[in-house]
Amino acid sequence: MKWLVTGGAGFIGSNFVFFLIEKYPEDQIICLDSLTYGGHLETLESVMENPRFTFIKADITDRKAVCDLFLKEKPDVVINFAAESHVDRSVTKPDIFLKTNILGAGVLMDACRQYGIKRYHQVSTDEVYGDLPLDRPDLFFTENTPLCASSPYSASKASADLLVQAYHRTFGLPVSISRCSNNYGPYQFPEKLIPLMLIRALKNQPLPVYGTGENVRDWLYVADHCAAIDLVVQKGKAGGVYNIGGHNERTNLEVVKTILRVLNKPESLIRFVADRPGHDRRYGVDSTKIQAELGWLPTTGFDEGIQKTICWYLENRSWWEHMASGDLSGAFGKENADTGPARFGIL
């Protein structure tokens, strides 16, 4: 089988490429990535010379480039990871998110219709559901929870989900959608919470935490996410939506304190900064459907996963050191210009 993985030079996409290379030794993998700030060829260095792997630099919104690729490579399956994904950047530059996340998905699906594919899979997010109250830990997002996006990022992803479902109903395109909770693990770009805090702690720099740090996220180790996507693509129902949760809810403050504890760093490094606009309070994902239909459950608990993640960053400094000195200006938004990454010396 021939897989087309868009956004495959980014965090989750690259981990999925490695997953496919290992699990399916007869399959061909094509990676399409425009190599914006979140995508890096260094991430794919271990597979670049593999004869079963092909890298193509192009933007998913470039209709000609996408159609040329489909005509030449004739992929069987398309997995769309390509997206602008940082919430704070979406607050300052929402138009980029609308273009890539919505129009890009449309371009890909038009090519899928024209050239024929077995499955188009849209990698989405639990953020399309909005948020849950902190005082109701019994509530969880299900696949039937109404979409209620809070940021330009989550609104663009929700819009793409609706477009994917419309292509299935209108054109009969064989599609599936997965909505995951917060991912973490190797190769995550340094502007995200866990690698940002980890790197700053290693440098004994202050750790900026939004508000009081009580916002809750459900953490999913990236390898578990890759296994779930594979199951959905191979065995999930066409037109189906599947939640993928890590079953590891933690407050942001708990996550930061865990990183400090593992690194043997003092909690005095923590600095509380002004909260961002529309900051979601809690995400909680019900994964009953994918467990019942496909038999998937996460296998990596947070304590194990964070240890593995920290070890990876310690052992792969050359991968992240130059990125951590690059453009992370969107990591904490303009509203925190005096207390965000630039102030703390990460820029």
Side-chain angles (χ1 to χ4, degrees):
M1 187 159 73
K2 187 175 285 190
W3 302 71
L4 172 59
V5 180
T6 70
F11 166 42
I12 309 176
S14 63
N15 276 276
F16 191 70
V17 167
F18 304 146
F19 173 89
L20 293 177
I21 289 285
E22 181 177 349
K23 183 169 183 180
Y24 299 109
E26 304 299 322
D27 288 3
Q28 296 286 321
I29 297 94
I30 307 154
C31 172
L32 174 67
D33 200 299
S34 62
L35 299 180
T36 58
Y37 72 92
H40 302 272
L41 278 182
E42 301 101 304
T43 302
L44 298 169
E45 184 176 354
S46 64
V47 297
M48 288 297 287
E49 301 301 321
N50 191 310
R52 298 190 293 115
F53 177 78
T54 302
F55 177 81
I56 298 172
K57 182 180 178 181
D59 194 311
I60 60 171
T61 64
D62 185 338
R63 191 172 294 273
K64 183 180 185 305
V66 169
C67 288
D68 288 347
L69 183 154
F70 272 71
L71 179 62
K72 178 182 177 182
E73 300 291 349
K74 298 179 174 58
D76 299 298
V77 175
V78 178
I79 316 293
N80 183 26
F81 291 97
E84 295 286 342
S85 62
H86 199 277
V87 175
D88 290 319
R89 290 181 184 268
S90 80
V91 173
T92 58
K93 296 180 179 180
D95 56 321
I96 300 173
F97 288 70
L98 304 182
K99 179 182 177 183
T100 299
N101 298 355
I102 304 173
L103 298 181
V107 169
L108 288 172
M109 288 189 292
D110 284 341
C112 288
R113 289 179 56 215
Q114 182 175 353
Y115 296 100
I117 49 97
K118 295 178 181 177
R119 176 63 62 90
Y120 171 87
H121 182 78
Q122 177 74 9
V123 181
S124 188
T125 170
D126 59 357
E127 295 187 44
V128 300
Y129 297 122
D131 64 352
L132 297 166
L134 293 175
D135 60 353
R136 289 293 307 275
D138 56 312
L139 295 180
F140 296 91
F141 298 134
T142 73
E143 290 81 358
N144 294 321
T145 300
L147 304 188
C148 187
S150 303
S151 69
Y153 161 64
S154 55
S156 69
K157 294 296 287 184
S159 299
D161 285 5
L162 292 173
L163 190 63
V164 171
Q165 291 175 314
Y167 269 64
H168 174 66
R169 179 164 180 171
T170 303
F171 305 116
L173 189 69
V175 305
S176 51
I177 299 171
S178 58
R179 295 172 179 155
C180 66
S181 57
N182 282 46
N183 278 222
Y184 69 105
Y187 296 107
Q188 189 168 28
F189 192 61
E191 73 180 356
K192 298 292 188 174
L193 178 68
I194 287 178
L196 180 64
M197 297 299 135
L198 193 165
I199 292 168
R200 295 188 64 78
L202 287 174
K203 297 182 178 183
N204 294 309
Q205 295 175 336
L207 276 56
V209 175
Y210 277 137
T212 60
E214 295 305 309
N215 303 71
V216 174
R217 300 294 181 261
D218 176 23
W219 292 96
L220 172 67
Y221 192 62
V222 66
D224 287 334
H225 187 194
C226 292
I229 291 173
D230 180 48
L231 269 177
V232 172
V233 171
Q234 301 280 11
K235 300 180 179 179
K237 296 177 181 177
V241 178
Y242 296 86
N243 283 347
I244 305 173
H247 302 177
N248 290 295
E249 287 192 37
R250 298 287 192 283
T251 68
N252 289 344
L253 187 58
E254 285 175 324
V255 171
V256 173
K257 287 183 175 181
T258 298
I259 293 170
L260 290 171
R261 184 171 63 252
V262 173
L263 294 175
N264 196 28
K265 299 289 185 176
E267 292 185 5
S268 58
L269 289 174
I270 296 173
R271 299 288 189 275
F272 294 103
V273 301
D275 213 348
R276 72 171 173 229
H279 197 180
D280 287 335
R281 292 161 295 181
R282 170 179 169 253
Y283 303 143
V285 178
D286 184 342
S287 301
T288 300
K289 180 178 178 179
I290 191 172
Q291 178 183 352
E293 288 190 14
L294 306 179
W296 178 87
L297 277 173
T299 61
T300 308
F302 185 76
D303 290 339
E304 176 190 358
I306 198 68
Q307 289 275 0
K308 292 165 68 173
T309 300
I310 290 173
C311 285
W312 187 88
Y313 277 85
L314 290 174
E315 295 169 359
N316 292 272
R317 286 176 176 265
S318 62
W319 180 84
W320 57 261
E321 279 183 335
H322 72 283
M323 298 182 195
S325 63
D327 178 18
L328 300 188
S329 58
F332 276 79
K334 287 184 177 179
E335 70 278 7
N336 287 314
D338 294 332
T339 52
R343 165 93 186 280
F344 289 125
I346 199 165
L347 295 179

